Amino acid sequence: MRKSILFVMNNLSSGGAEKSLSSLLQTIDYSKYEVDLLLFKPEGLFFRNLPKQVNVLEKPFEYQFFDMPIKTALSDSVKKGRIDIAISRIGASYIFRKEKNKSRCEQRAWRYMSKPLKKINKSYDIAIGYLEKSSIYFIVDKVKAKKKIGWIHTNYSNSGMDQHLDYPYFQQLDHIVTVSEECAEAIKTHFSDLTNKVKVIGNIVSPATINNLSNHKLQSDFIQEKQYTNIVTVARLGNEKGIDMAIEACDLLRKSGRQLRWYVLGYGTEKEQKEMVSTIQEKSLQNHFKLLGVKENPYPYIKKADIYVQPSRYEGKSIAIDEAKILQKPIIVTNFSTAKDQINDKENGLIVEMDGESIAAGIEKLMADRELKNKLIYNLSREQVGTESEVQKIYQLFQ
């Protein structure tokens, strides 16, 4: 008899955790497991690629009221006779306005959001909150399961999350899974009495799939000319991904006479997008630094890049870096806490300090030193990057 599993996730947009879940759902053995998926918002780039064996549950009706303007939410909930939703929405609205830290905002708002959300009627063998905060809180508060597992995709020490709000939830999990040893140590530091629950399972990355997708036709928004060095970054536009430092590096390189085009694939809030566009215009970098938005298939862009740069302030374990390694691109990463989990400096990439000047110096080094660049590419060609075997570790948790 197949074991029943529930995965809970916010959505399947273009983030690393979402891509990780998409890869896992394409790898899992459906002859052994019956899989339900609950998305707070059933949408995103990876939603259309779900395997047909995955049963997508109806989204929680009440969740939508926390994702719309408060006036509309109050009017609609009252019309539907749901005064409980209206009261909870008022409480959540206060948090949304007052709490400036994004992570703590989601944590604190759950107190109000959870009240009108209904529990799931079905009982499961395993329930998995596949992303920190709301997904984990949901499986603890609203799901009946023999075993509960929470996934943390970031370095907890740099996440801005409040451990006092997470602790009562983490206590009720059977396993706390994270994506690298560095991330595991961060969790153990903050939750020292829960260390026996912490497991490390890498994101599932398939070289065969990535190489195949990289051969698809490139869109016309990527211009390839011999005199230009093409740089690609796959990242959100949030502060933690360091795109502001990338713009600074691009500006320094252009002023030094370097010919380059830097393409960023990723989304941001309307405010983040406006700020980035404004900075690019102020520095007259419109022809050199291009925000292309989210790409369902970023791999042809990475494949055609001369250099891949990850200018992050912090990462859990970057799927984008592993993908660039599979496509054997010379890689530059900033010295965030988990950088050495994936890059050995001057062996399969360069690790530079976390500022625009250092990023620019690293790019300039690869532009000038062909021998170093070829060494990085050769070493990457010999590296085993595929992580499909990580699913076996997941199966062990299901026992």
Side-chain angles (χ1 to χ4, degrees):
M1 185 175 177
R2 292 187 298 167
K3 285 191 174 182
S4 59
I5 305 173
L6 172 68
F7 287 92
V8 177
M9 188 72 160
N10 293 4
N11 55 56
L12 284 177
S13 64
S14 62
E18 292 83 356
K19 183 181 288 187
S20 172
L21 178 56
S22 175
S23 297
L24 170 55
L25 292 174
Q26 291 175 46
T27 307
I28 204 165
D29 185 351
Y30 290 97
S31 68
K32 296 179 180 177
Y33 303 103
E34 175 187 293
V35 176
D36 285 356
L37 173 64
L38 176 71
L39 299 172
F40 296 145
K41 295 171 69 176
E43 62 185 33
L45 290 173
F46 302 112
F47 184 67
R48 73 190 75 174
N49 296 324
L50 286 172
K52 64 180 185 299
Q53 298 95 327
V54 175
N55 177 42
V56 181
L57 302 182
E58 189 174 339
K59 66 181 180 181
F61 169 77
E62 298 82 2
Y63 184 84
Q64 63 186 307
F65 294 94
F66 297 91
D67 197 39
M68 62 175 68
I70 185 166
K71 288 184 179 179
T72 306
L74 294 179
S75 173
D76 287 1
S77 57
V78 170
K79 284 178 183 176
K80 290 178 168 56
R82 293 294 301 271
I83 303 300
D84 59 327
I85 295 177
I87 293 170
S88 293
R89 183 63 176 85
I90 291 169
S93 181
Y94 176 80
I95 301 299
F96 295 156
R97 287 198 321 268
K98 295 295 183 181
E99 179 57 77
K100 302 305 180 186
N101 178 296
K102 286 183 181 179
S103 292
R104 284 198 295 270
C105 181
E106 183 179 341
Q107 287 182 293
R108 293 179 60 197
W110 180 255
R111 171 186 172 188
Y112 300 99
M113 295 172 68
S114 65
K115 287 181 180 178
L117 294 177
K118 290 182 172 59
K119 292 187 176 183
I120 291 184
N121 291 326
K122 183 176 176 179
S123 294
Y124 291 90
D125 292 305
I126 302 126
I128 300 170
Y130 203 74
L131 189 64
E132 54 271 7
K133 303 186 288 287
S134 297
S135 300
I136 292 175
Y137 304 160
F138 187 91
I139 67 163
V140 171
D141 288 344
K142 304 295 178 180
V143 179
K144 185 177 180 182
K146 295 175 184 175
K147 183 174 286 189
K148 296 186 178 184
I149 303 170
W151 239 267
I152 309 293
H153 287 268
T154 188
N155 185 318
Y156 200 94
S157 296
N158 299 326
S159 67
M161 290 187 282
D162 185 338
Q163 69 188 72
H164 301 293
L165 295 175
D166 275 334
Y167 183 73
Y169 287 96
F170 286 9
Q171 275 187 308
Q172 298 180 71
L173 297 173
D174 295 281
H175 301 292
I176 302 168
V177 178
T178 193
V179 294
S180 73
E181 293 295 341
E182 184 84 20
C183 291
E185 287 306 312
I187 295 170
K188 291 174 182 179
T189 297
H190 289 276
F191 303 94
S192 57
D193 61 329
L194 303 179
T195 57
N196 62 315
K197 295 186 178 187
V198 179
K199 311 291 181 186
V200 177
I201 299 178
N203 292 312
I204 293 174
V205 180
S206 169
T209 299
I210 289 166
N211 279 303
N212 178 55
L213 289 170
S214 75
N215 292 321
H216 288 198
K217 187 177 179 181
L218 196 63
Q219 294 182 26
S220 60
D221 52 9
F222 188 98
I223 304 167
Q224 202 164 25
E225 296 178 280
K226 285 185 178 180
Q227 70 268 34
Y228 286 89
T229 296
N230 292 300
I231 300 169
V232 169
T233 294
V234 180
R236 297 188 303 274
L237 302 185
N239 179 68
E240 72 277 10
K241 298 299 182 182
I243 304 303
D244 57 314
M245 294 188 290
I247 296 173
E248 182 187 349
C250 183
D251 188 41
L252 290 168
L253 289 164
R254 185 199 55 144
K255 286 176 178 176
S256 71
R258 293 293 186 178
Q259 295 274 54
L260 74 153
R261 290 195 177 103
W262 196 321
Y263 299 91
V264 176
L265 315 183
Y267 65 92
T269 64
E270 187 176 345
K271 180 182 177 184
E272 289 165 343
Q273 185 85 18
K274 284 182 178 178
E275 287 176 353
M276 295 291 176
V277 170
S278 176
T279 303
I280 291 165
Q281 290 174 344
E282 285 171 11
K283 296 180 181 294
S284 300
L285 292 173
Q286 295 94 318
N287 294 324
H288 303 275
F289 200 94
K290 299 177 181 292
L291 305 177
L292 300 188
V294 173
K295 298 295 179 183
E296 184 171 1
N297 180 7
Y299 307 118
Y301 293 86
I302 300 173
K303 183 175 182 178
K304 291 295 184 181
D306 298 297
I307 299 169
Y308 182 87
V309 178
Q310 199 74 41
S312 303
R313 289 185 167 89
Y314 69 87
E315 292 277 354
K317 186 175 183 184
S318 170
I319 295 178
I321 291 173
D322 279 345
E323 292 167 341
K325 288 168 74 174
I326 287 168
L327 294 173
Q328 298 172 22
K329 295 290 111 177
I331 299 167
I332 296 172
V333 302
T334 43
N335 194 21
F336 48 84
S337 60
T338 57
K340 293 180 180 66
D341 287 350
Q342 295 174 275
I343 296 296
N344 296 318
D345 189 37
K346 298 183 181 65
E347 292 298 322
N348 63 353
L350 297 184
I351 299 177
V352 301
E353 291 308 309
M354 204 175 289
D355 57 75
E357 190 173 345
S358 298
I359 295 168
I363 293 169
E364 203 149 30
K365 186 174 183 63
L366 285 183
M367 284 179 170
D369 192 338
R370 182 171 291 276
E371 186 177 340
L372 173 61
K373 189 175 179 181
N374 289 337
K375 174 188 173 183
L376 300 182
I377 293 170
Y378 175 74
N379 287 342
L380 287 168
S381 73
R382 303 184 69 191
E383 192 169 331
Q384 298 295 319
V385 186
T387 56
E388 298 97 328
S389 61
E390 292 294 286
V391 76
Q392 298 301 325
K393 297 179 184 178
I394 297 173
Y395 293 157
Q396 289 175 15
L397 298 187
F398 292 172
Q399 299 307 314

